Amino acid sequence: MEEPGAVGFSLGFGTDNRKLLWLRPRLGVTWGGHDHGDQLNLGLGMTLQPSSRLLVTLTPSFDRTFNNAQYVTTSDTLVYEPTFGPRYLFADLERTAVSMVTRMNLTFTPKLSLELYAQPLISSADYVTYKQLAEAQTFRFDAFEEGSVTGTGCLDGRTCRDDAGTRYVDFDDDGTADVTFADRDFNLRSLNSTAVLRWEYRPGSTFFLVWQHRQAERASVGDFDVGRDLRALVGAPSDDVLILKANIWLSL
């Protein structure tokens, strides 16, 4: 199978980091040959330092990717000579992701400090068109028309999806599915955060109190909706870990 080339560029700059607010915007764009796919990346780094004791950094980012050759699976049903027997299934994938890394360092005294880290992430993946590689050593595909589900397969198309999220593919268009698999559409919502309190209670001896919070949920949706996914993230399953650690300096 051929792998088309790509061309892209990235652009970024930063303001004066000696100022109260330091900005670092960036832009990245990639174009794939033979309609292989495109990618857009936007980001903005923001650092606020109102005093020598407090440092806050926010890094929001937006990624939009289109890939028209996302591998899905391989099927040995109905021998396909142009690819030496197996059928290699792909899809057009539209993926969107938004995240924001947040960091805060707060120094109360030279011996007592607090560090905070958090990264909320919302991502969607929409598999738009399913297809198979048309011939070995090419980048050509045979796209499956979307139909509606019947009792044994698809009507008016060679692929369809039922309400349970099962994808049916009918290679020879005879109304009976030749292969089935779980539809690949998904949404991911996650939040990872950590807080570390550090106290040097005597020279060389340090006490750490660490709190870790992990929250994640995956749903078979596919479309991108910030408001809906943020609301879902609030009620997503979570894990919390509390860690105590002490370093003791022994002077001999």
Side-chain angles (χ1 to χ4, degrees):
M1 179 178 174
E2 288 186 358
E3 181 72 17
V7 60
F9 75 91
S10 61
L11 175 66
F13 66 92
T15 61
D16 191 344
N17 60 7
R18 297 170 297 178
K19 302 295 184 180
L20 172 67
L21 179 63
W22 178 26
L23 300 177
R24 302 173 304 282
R26 57 182 171 81
L27 165 68
V29 180
T30 302
W31 297 275
H34 302 288
D35 294 325
H36 182 227
D38 306 313
Q39 182 174 10
L40 172 66
N41 175 262
L42 300 173
L44 176 62
M46 298 178 289
T47 299
L48 177 66
Q49 189 168 12
S51 71
S52 59
R53 294 187 175 188
L54 178 62
L55 180 67
V56 180
T57 301
L58 302 176
T59 312
S61 65
F62 172 84
D63 290 278
R64 176 71 172 175
T65 302
F66 177 77
N67 180 2
N68 74 348
Q70 176 64 45
Y71 174 75
V72 176
T73 188
T74 300
S75 173
D76 293 320
T77 304
L78 297 181
V79 173
Y80 188 64
E81 294 298 338
T83 52
F84 310 109
R87 296 173 184 263
Y88 300 95
L89 305 188
F90 293 81
D92 293 340
L93 172 62
E94 295 180 3
R95 185 161 188 172
T96 306
V98 173
S99 70
M100 184 167 71
V101 176
T102 303
R103 300 178 186 272
M104 186 186 77
N105 295 335
L106 177 60
T107 302
F108 301 102
T109 69
K111 296 184 178 181
L112 181 63
S113 63
L114 176 65
E115 296 182 8
L116 298 176
Y117 168 86
Q119 184 187 26
L121 169 68
I122 294 175
S123 177
S124 68
D126 187 9
Y127 287 71
V128 182
T129 302
Y130 287 86
K131 51 196 175 180
Q132 68 179 8
L133 183 64
E135 186 178 356
Q137 298 183 355
T138 71
F139 195 72
R140 294 186 294 105
F141 299 92
D142 176 21
F144 304 135
E145 305 82 8
E146 190 73 25
S148 55
V149 178
T150 64
T152 58
C154 302
L155 177 65
D156 298 328
R158 290 187 291 165
T159 185
C160 53
R161 171 182 168 171
D162 64 17
D163 294 336
T166 300
R167 171 67 56 176
Y168 300 84
V169 179
D170 179 7
F171 295 128
D172 53 5
D173 200 16
D174 64 354
T176 301
D178 297 306
V179 64
T180 62
F181 51 86
D183 194 83
R184 297 300 196 258
D185 291 352
F186 72 88
N187 284 63
L188 178 64
R189 308 123 178 182
S190 70
L191 172 63
N192 293 322
S193 58
T194 303
V196 180
L197 181 67
R198 178 184 179 277
W199 174 39
E200 188 177 7
Y201 56 92
R202 70 180 187 184
S205 298
T206 310
F207 175 81
F208 297 91
L209 176 61
V210 182
W211 171 57
Q212 294 180 335
H213 175 79
R214 296 184 179 91
Q215 200 166 4
E217 184 180 59
R218 182 185 176 103
S220 300
V221 182
D223 64 313
F224 184 74
D225 187 325
V226 174
R228 178 201 62 203
D229 289 338
L230 283 177
R231 290 190 296 270
L233 178 59
V234 172
S238 64
D239 292 317
D240 293 274
V241 178
L242 188 64
I243 303 171
L244 300 176
K245 178 182 177 182
N247 293 337
I248 301 176
W249 175 262
L250 301 177
S251 179
L252 300 179

